[in-house]
Amino acid sequence: MGSLRKKVRFCASVVLLLLSFLLLLGSLSLVGATDIPLGSTLSPSNASSWSSPTGTFSFGFFSDRQSPSLYLAAISYSGGIIVWSAGGSGSGSVDSAASLQLRADGNLCLVSGSGALVWESGTASKGVSAAALLDSGDFVLKNSTAVVWDTYDNPTDTILQSQNFTFGQVLRSGVYSFSILQSGNLTLTWNDSITYFNKGFNSTFTANKSLASPVLTLQANGIVSLSDASLSTAVVIAYSSDYGESDDIIRFVKLDSDGNLRTYTAVRGAAVASRQWAAVADQCEVFGWCGNMGICSYNDTSPTCGCPSRNFDFVDPDDHRKGCKRRTEIQDCPGNSTMLQLDHTQFLTYAPEISSEQFFVGITACRLNCLSGGSCVASTALGDGSGFCYLKASNFVSGYQSTALPSTSFVKVCAPALPNSPSPPGELRSRSSNLKGWLVAVLVFGTVSGLMLFEWGLWRCFCRNGARYGPSSAQYALLEYASGAPVQFSYRELQKSTRRFKERLGEGSFGAVYKGVLASRTAVAVKQLEGIEQGEKQFRMEVATISSTHHLNLVRLIGFCSEGRHRLLVYEFMKNGSLDSFLFSGESSSGKLSWSTRFSIAVATARGITYLHEECRDCIVHCDIKPENILLDENYNAKVSDFGLAKLVNAKDHRQRTLTSVRGTRGYLAPEWLANLPISSKSDVYSFGMVLLEIVSGRRNFDVSDDTGRKKFSVWAYEELEKGNIKSAMDKRLAEQDVDMEQLKRALLVSFWCIQEQPSQRPSMGKVVQMLEGVLAIDRPPAPKAADGGLAAVTSSSANTSITVFVTSSPAQPSSSSSHSIASSSLVSKRNLDEPTSSPVVVADQSSS
Ligand SMILES: *[C@@H]1O[C@H](CO)[C@@H](O)[C@H](O)[C@H]1NC(C)=O
Ligand SMILES: *[C@@H]1O[C@H](CO)[C@@H](O)[C@H](O)[C@H]1NC(C)=O
Ligand SMILES: *[C@@H]1O[C@H](CO)[C@@H](O)[C@H](O)[C@H]1NC(C)=O
Ligand SMILES: *[C@@H]1O[C@H](CO)[C@@H](O)[C@H](O)[C@H]1NC(C)=O
Ligand SMILES: *[C@@H]1O[C@H](CO)[C@@H](O)[C@H](O)[C@H]1NC(C)=O
Ligand SMILES: *[C@@H]1O[C@H](CO)[C@@H](O)[C@H](O)[C@H]1NC(C)=O
Ligand SMILES: *[C@@H]1O[C@H](CO)[C@@H](O)[C@H](O)[C@H]1NC(C)=O
Ligand SMILES: *[C@@H]1O[C@H](CO)[C@@H](O)[C@H](O)[C@H]1NC(C)=O
Ligand SMILES: *[C@@H]1O[C@H](CO)[C@@H](O)[C@H](O)[C@H]1NC(C)=O
C-alpha cells in the first residue's frame, strides 16, 4: 500500500513537473512570439494581430473610419488610436478579403482581396530574418544584427513620442504634407505645390543658414522640440497644453486630414485622443480646406465651408469640404460672364503663387483684369493699403471670409451673379423668411435684368451709330466704355485715328500728345508714353485703375494700346487745352478768363484732386499738379489730367520711392520731394497752392522781377498780404470791378496755407474745397517758410544728407521767356506748339552717397 502511495506521489510530481515544464515552455514561446517569423500573415477575416511585448501597441486590421466597409493594416495604441498604417490612410484601404503578408523573402506586403499588391515595404532580399513590434510603437524588420526597415523611418501621418522625425521625411494626410526644411522651418504643403505654412520657430532658423540635420521630437513632458548637431540645446517649438502631465498616456504629433499639424495626448484605453497644440491657429488659413471654390468662415467657433454664391452648388451636399462647382461653367456662357463681388473675402495666396500673380492696382482694376483675362477665375484685392491684387488662374482656389478681413474678392461666374442671402446657408429658416428670400431674389433678378435691358438698349443704340460710321471695334468699344472698362486699341487703329500722329498737341513729362478722331467721330487726345518699363500685364492693371477713376473734374481715360513696345493712352479731348496757356501767355488769351471763371477753375481743380485723394477707393497721389495738367473743356470746365501716371513710370517700387527718378516740375514740387521725406497727398496740396497763386496772379510762382523786389513772386506775394495789400497779387489784366474781393482773399489765404513747408501744416484737399467755397473759416496763414529758400535751400539741405540733386534745366531767369520755361504737358493748345520748351524735370540721384 505504501509503495502505491509513493508511486502516486511520484506520478503527481512528474505530472506537476511536466505541467510546470509545459507552462515554462508556454511562457517561453510567448516571449519568442514578439519576433514575428517570416511567412506570417494577418487578415481582417480572423481578426488576427501582432502585439508589442506589453500589449501597448498592436498591428492588425482596423476598419477605416472614412469608409467603414474597408480596412487599414495599421498599428494602433491600446486598441483604439491608429499611429501608422500600411500605405497611409488615403491609399492603403483594403477589403475584408485582404491580407498583410510577411513573405519569406523578407518583404512586408499588403495584398487586396483580388490579389493586387496595395503596398510593400520594399525589403525583399535585404536579409530580413524576422519582424517585431516594439513597445515604443515601432514595427521593425530586422536581420540577425540590425534593423533593416522600420515604421519610425517610414512614417505615415503620425510621429510618436520616442520617434525622431528628420529633415527629408514627410508626413502625409490626403493632399496635405508636412516636412522640416534644412533651415529648421516647419512647413505644411497642399498637393505638393502650395506651402500654406512655413515657420521658423526660433530666430536662429529664420536666418538663411542651414542646420546639419534637424530632428523633430516630442518629449515625454509634451514639448515639441527641434535638435541639431549645430545647436547646443534643443529648441522648443511648442508646449502641449497639458505640459508636464505624465500619467499612463501617450503623446503624438499628427498631420490631420484637415491639413493642420497637432499634438495629441491619449490615455491608455481611451478611443479618442485630446488635442493639445495646432501649428495653424486659424483653420481657415489652411489652403484647400473647403475644397475648390469653397469659402471657409466661422459660424460661432468652428470653421465651416460654404459656396461663394448661388451660382454654385456643393460638389457633395453631405460633405461641404469637397468644395463647390459652378451651376453653369464659364465656357458654357461665352461673352456672358461677370464678376461676383465678395466683400471681406480673400482667396488664399501662398508661395509660390504669391510671387507670380501679384500686382499693385486698384480694386476696380483687380475686378476688370480678371474679367478680361481668359484664364482668370477669381481675384483678390487685399485692401490692406498695399494695393496688391492677386489674379487666380489656377484651377483650384480656396477662399476665406471674415468680417475682420479688409480684402475684396471677385469670382467669375455666368451672368447674372446671385449673391448668397445674408443668412448663412444650412440654417433653419421659417417660411416667412424664406418668402423674404424669394422676394429679395426676385428683386435682385428684376434689377439685374433691368440693367441688362438698359445695357442692351445702349448697345443697340450704338450699334446703329456704329454702322453709320464704320464698324471696327466700335461696338465693343461702347459696351466697354459704358461699363467703365478701358477700350483696347490696336496700334494701327490709333495710327489711323491720329493720321499717323500728325497733329501734335503738346509734349508732357510722359511723352507727346496727338489729336485723334475715333471711328465713332469722338475726338480724342492720344498720349504716346515713353520710358514705361513695366510688363504688359502690369501696364493693363494700372490703366484699368486710371480708367476706373471717374469724376467730373478728372480727364477721362477712354482706352489704351499696349502692343510690343508701344504704350499709348487715349483720353477725352479737351477743346480749350491747358490752363497755363491762358494764365501766362499774353494779354489776349488771359483776357478770356474772367475772375469768376478762374475761381471756378480753382474750385473744380481742388474737387478733382480731392476725389483722387479721398473719395476713390484707392488713394492716388498725383505728384505733378501744375497748370499744364489742368485742362479746360469747351465751357472752360477744369479737369485734372495725367493722374496715376507717376505710378506707371515709377512702378518698380511703389511703396518705397527712390530718388533715382523724381518726376515732377520745379516750382510745384513740395520740399519733401527733394529732402527725401515721405511723399503723401499733402505734396499735391503744396503743388495746388502754387497753382492757386498763379490763377490769382497770372504769373509763375517763381517769377523774379523788379516789381516783386527781385524776390520770387510767391515770397513777395506773402509779404504783400502781410501788409494788407491783397490787390497787388491780383492779375493786372483783370478788371477790378469784376473781381469778388472776398473770393480773392480766400484764394490767397488758402494758397499760403497749402504751400506751408511742413506737410502737416497744409490742409487736406477736402478742407481746401470747403475753405475756397467759404464754408470753412480761414485763419491767417503763417509764413510759408519753404518759399524763402526755394529750391536752392532744399538742394543744399539734401546735399548735407549726401544726396546730390541734379537740375537738368538752368535756374529760372528773370526774363520774359520764363513763362515758357516749364515743360508743357498733355493737351497744350496749338498756339504754344512752336515755342521752344526746355525740360525742367528734376532728377535726383543717390549715386554719390
Ligand atoms: C488568419 O487568416 C490568414 C489568411 O486567411 C491565415 O494565414 C492565418 O493563419 C490566420 N490566422 C489565425 C490565427 O487563424
Ligand atoms: C543587417 O543589416 C544591416 C543594415 O542593412 C547591414 O549593415 C548588416 O550587414 C546586416 N547583417 C547581416 C548579418 O546581414
Ligand atoms: C532619436 O535620436 C536620439 C538622439 O540622437 C537617439 O538617442 C535615439 O536613439 C533616436 N531614436 C530613434 C528611435 O532612433
Ligand atoms: C494636384 O497636383 C497635380 C499635379 O501636380 C494636379 O494634376 C492635380 O490636379 C492637383 N490636384 C488638385 C486637387 O488640384
Ligand atoms: C522660415 O520661416 C520664416 C518665418 O518664420 C520665414 O521668414 C523664412 O523665410 C523661412 N525660411 C525658409 C528657408 O523658408
Ligand atoms: C543668406 O545667404 C546668402 C548667400 O548664401 C548670404 O549672402 C546672405 O548674407 C545670407 N543672409 C543672412 C541673413 O544670413
Ligand atoms: C532660440 O534657440 C536658442 C538655442 O536653443 C535659444 O537660446 C534662444 O533663446 C531661442 N530664441 C528664441 C527667440 O526662442
Ligand atoms: C457651426 O458649424 C459646425 C460644423 O459645421 C456645426 O456642427 C455647428 O452646429 C455650427 N454651429 C452653429 C451655431 O451654427
Ligand atoms: C446672359 O445671361 C442672362 C441670364 O442668364 C440671359 O438672360 C441673357 O440672355 C444672356 N445673354 C447672352 C448674350 O447670352
Side-chain angles (χ1 to χ4, degrees):
M1 290 298 275
S3 64
L4 191 72
R5 265 189 194 168
K6 268 182 189 168
K7 266 185 184 170
V8 169
R9 263 190 205 161
F10 177 70
C11 281
S13 41
V14 166
V15 166
L16 266 172
L17 220 113
L18 263 172
L19 270 174
S20 49
F21 181 64
L22 273 175
L23 267 172
L24 200 85
L25 256 182
S27 60
L28 271 179
S29 70
L30 259 176
V31 171
T34 55
D35 260 6
I36 302 148
L38 299 183
S40 303
T41 300
L42 295 179
S43 163
S45 53
N46 56 14
S48 48
S49 69
W50 298 322
S51 270
S52 69
T54 60
T56 308
F57 290 92
S58 59
F59 197 158
F61 280 94
F62 298 89
S63 69
D64 188 347
R65 275 209 202 140
Q66 272 145 34
S67 36
S69 63
L70 297 179
Y71 294 87
L72 291 173
I75 299 171
S76 88
Y77 170 71
S78 71
I81 292 152
I82 289 173
V83 296
W84 184 91
S85 65
S89 58
S91 52
S93 305
V94 288
D95 56 306
S96 62
S99 61
L100 183 72
Q101 305 166 355
L102 179 56
R103 290 182 177 166
D105 61 3
N107 206 3
L108 184 66
C109 302
L110 178 62
V111 178
S112 73
S114 62
L117 183 67
V118 176
W119 173 87
E120 61 174 333
S121 63
T123 49
S125 63
K126 286 204 175 152
V128 172
S129 58
L133 180 59
L134 309 181
D135 261 334
S136 60
D138 193 13
F139 181 79
V140 299
L141 299 175
K142 56 191 179 178
N143 60 19
S144 52
T145 56
V147 171
V148 177
W149 181 96
D150 69 346
T151 54
Y152 270 17
D153 280 343
N154 297 274
T156 51
D157 57 8
T158 304
I159 304 167
L160 284 168
Q161 208 166 290
S162 57
Q163 189 169 345
N164 293 332
F165 184 80
T166 65
F167 163 66
Q169 295 182 339
V170 183
L171 295 189
R172 287 185 186 280
S173 185
V175 288
Y176 297 107
S177 56
F178 165 73
S179 58
I180 307 180
L181 299 183
Q182 184 99 52
S183 65
N185 277 24
L186 307 190
T187 63
L188 290 168
T189 305
W190 175 87
N191 199 23
D192 287 328
S193 55
I194 288 168
T195 300
Y196 55 91
F197 180 82
N198 178 358
K199 192 165 173 193
F201 281 83
N202 184 297
S203 53
T204 54
F205 303 166
T206 51
N208 61 358
K209 76 167 186 196
S210 51
L211 303 175
S213 176
V215 175
L216 186 82
T217 43
L218 176 60
Q219 297 170 10
N221 57 11
I223 288 179
V224 182
S225 63
L226 197 106
S227 52
D228 185 73
S230 63
L231 298 171
S232 52
T233 54
V235 168
V236 172
I237 286 190
Y239 291 89
S240 295
S241 41
D242 61 350
Y243 165 72
E245 283 176 27
S246 55
D247 295 330
D248 192 6
I249 54 175
I250 63 153
R251 297 175 184 276
F252 55 92
V253 176
K254 188 176 181 197
L255 174 60
D256 283 316
S257 60
D258 63 6
N260 214 333
L261 184 79
R262 297 187 177 90
T263 63
Y264 285 92
T265 305
V267 179
R268 187 186 290 269
V272 286
S274 58
R275 289 177 180 182
Q276 304 297 334
W277 165 82
V280 187
D282 185 346
Q283 185 59 38
C284 281
E285 287 178 0
V286 172
F287 191 86
W289 188 68
C290 283
N292 189 17
M293 281 295 170
I295 307 284
C296 184
S297 61
Y298 287 86
N299 55 15
D300 263 341
T301 47
S302 49
T304 53
C305 293
C307 288
S309 71
R310 286 174 295 118
N311 301 78
F312 290 82
D313 287 322
F314 283 115
V315 169
D316 179 354
D318 299 325
D319 184 0
H320 293 181
R321 280 198 48 205
K322 292 234 167 75
C324 305
K325 59 174 190 293
R326 289 184 177 82
R327 287 183 186 165
T328 313
E329 291 300 330
I330 298 297
Q331 60 263 30
D332 297 336
C333 60
N336 207 4
S337 57
T338 181
M339 297 307 283
L340 171 88
Q341 181 165 339
L342 301 166
D343 291 329
H344 302 296
T345 304
Q346 183 176 344
F347 284 108
L348 298 179
T349 308
Y350 298 110
E353 261 187 80
I354 198 154
S355 54
S356 58
E357 290 283 3
Q358 80 185 23
F359 305 93
F360 296 116
V361 288
I363 190 160
T364 319
C366 198
R367 184 181 85 86
L368 294 174
N369 278 281
C370 187
L371 184 60
S372 59
S375 59
C376 185
V377 293
S379 62
T380 288
L382 281 195
D384 60 356
S386 69
F388 270 128
C389 168
Y390 295 116
L391 291 190
K392 296 288 177 180
S394 79
N395 51 9
F396 195 102
V397 295
S398 179
Y400 182 3
Q401 187 161 46
S402 160
T403 47
L405 291 174
S407 44
T408 303
S409 291
F410 303 95
V411 188
K412 199 184 277 181
V413 293
C414 287
L418 304 165
N420 283 332
S421 42
S423 50
E427 208 174 76
L428 283 175
R429 268 181 287 165
S430 68
R431 276 190 74 158
S432 70
S433 66
N434 246 333
L435 200 71
K436 254 188 204 164
W438 269 106
L439 263 173
V440 168
V442 165
L443 267 174
V444 165
F445 185 77
T447 316
V448 165
S449 359
L451 274 172
M452 283 169 107
L453 218 78
F454 173 72
E455 278 203 21
W456 180 78
L458 265 180
W459 181 76
R460 275 290 297 267
C461 176
F462 185 81
C463 214
R464 293 211 177 121
N465 289 342
R468 232 183 289 155
Y469 295 130
S472 89
S473 56
Q475 308 176 355
Y476 169 72
L478 186 81
L479 265 186
E480 292 279 281
Y481 189 72
S483 68
V487 182
Q488 183 169 4
F489 295 95
S490 71
Y491 189 67
R492 274 198 53 197
E493 261 176 288
L494 292 186
Q495 252 184 339
K496 205 175 134 198
S497 60
T498 58
R499 290 180 292 149
R500 300 203 153 265
F501 302 102
K502 204 164 161 224
E503 196 178 335
R504 196 180 169 105
L505 294 169
E507 177 85 41
S509 7
F510 301 98
V513 184
Y514 302 88
K515 188 174 177 181
V517 179
L518 295 184
S520 57
R521 291 208 178 149
T522 315
V524 290
V526 178
K527 176 170 276 201
Q528 224 171 6
L529 294 173
E530 286 156 12
I532 305 291
E533 289 153 29
Q534 283 176 325
E536 160 111 18
K537 223 167 184 176
Q538 203 160 348
F539 176 74
R540 282 164 184 264
M541 298 239 151
E542 302 295 353
V543 161
T545 306
I546 296 170
S547 77
S548 67
T549 308
H550 300 301
H551 189 268
L552 194 64
N553 301 116
L554 295 176
V555 174
R556 175 140 188 194
L557 181 73
I558 294 172
F560 68 103
C561 163
S562 175
E563 235 177 70
R565 59 188 174 80
H566 298 298
R567 299 278 187 278
L568 297 98
L569 296 178
V570 181
Y571 286 100
E572 66 176 310
F573 180 72
M574 300 287 283
K575 195 158 172 251
N576 275 315
S578 58
L579 180 62
D580 60 314
S581 60
F582 292 97
L583 289 182
F584 310 127
S585 54
E587 300 283 326
S588 54
S589 55
S590 76
K592 277 190 200 161
L593 286 191
S594 66
W595 171 255
S596 64
T597 310
R598 290 186 193 214
F599 192 73
S600 63
I601 288 171
V603 174
T605 305
R607 285 207 183 109
I609 304 171
T610 305
Y611 182 78
L612 289 179
H613 287 180
E614 296 165 19
E615 286 155 27
C616 61
R617 286 186 85 159
D618 317 284
C619 172
I620 296 176
V621 180
H622 189 294
C623 296
D624 201 12
I625 303 275
K626 55 183 176 183
E628 288 77 2
N629 282 338
I630 294 162
L631 306 184
L632 304 174
D633 70 6
E634 62 272 27
N635 300 317
Y636 293 92
N637 292 317
K639 299 189 183 201
V640 177
S641 88
D642 271 14
F643 55 90
L645 293 188
K647 208 165 140 196
L648 255 180
V649 178
N650 271 342
K652 269 193 202 151
D653 200 344
H654 158 85
R655 270 180 282 187
Q656 218 182 356
R657 175 180 51 102
T658 59
L659 261 181
T660 45
S661 61
V662 175
R663 281 186 183 248
T665 307
R666 198 210 53 210
Y668 304 91
L669 273 184
E672 59 264 26
W673 269 107
L674 298 173
N676 200 20
L677 293 169
I679 296 305
S680 67
S681 53
K682 291 291 177 69
S683 313
D684 281 352
V685 175
Y686 180 93
S687 310
F688 175 77
M690 287 301 186
V691 172
L692 186 55
L693 192 59
E694 293 174 346
I695 290 174
V696 172
S697 65
R699 53 206 292 183
R700 292 283 187 189
N701 69 74
F702 44 81
D703 260 7
V704 179
S705 65
D706 284 334
D707 52 300
T708 63
R710 310 227 51 86
K711 286 176 181 159
K712 284 210 303 184
F713 179 77
S714 56
V715 178
W716 175 82
Y718 181 75
E719 288 171 4
E720 290 298 304
L721 181 77
E722 284 279 82
K723 292 181 204 152
N725 301 337
I726 298 174
K727 277 183 210 160
S728 56
M730 192 182 87
D731 193 334
K732 300 284 172 294
R733 293 165 293 189
L734 287 168
E736 211 173 296
Q737 66 275 13
D738 294 340
V739 176
D740 180 333
M741 281 302 158
E742 265 311 300
Q743 284 180 350
L744 181 80
K745 187 176 175 192
R746 283 210 298 269
L748 275 175
L749 292 177
V750 168
S751 85
F752 289 119
W753 272 114
C754 290
I755 60 175
Q756 292 294 313
E757 187 174 56
Q758 287 302 319
S760 58
Q761 290 264 18
R762 301 172 204 152
S764 69
M765 279 318 288
K767 281 232 173 82
V768 166
V769 173
Q770 290 179 312
M771 292 198 289
L772 283 177
E773 286 173 337
V775 179
L776 214 63
I778 314 170
D779 294 333
R780 212 171 177 74
K785 208 175 132 221
D788 299 311
L791 185 63
V794 174
T795 308
S796 63
S797 82
S798 327
N800 289 343
T801 58
S802 74
I803 295 161
T804 319
V805 179
F806 299 105
V807 181
T808 54
S809 69
S810 56
Q813 298 300 317
S815 73
S816 59
S817 71
S818 69
S819 62
H820 299 296
S821 69
I822 293 293
S824 58
S825 175
S826 51
L827 309 176
V828 184
S829 76
K830 239 183 120 183
R831 242 185 315 275
N832 267 358
L833 291 179
D834 301 325
E835 279 152 8
T837 55
S838 66
S839 166
V841 170
V842 176
V843 179
D845 200 337
Q846 267 176 309
S847 56
S848 63
S849 59

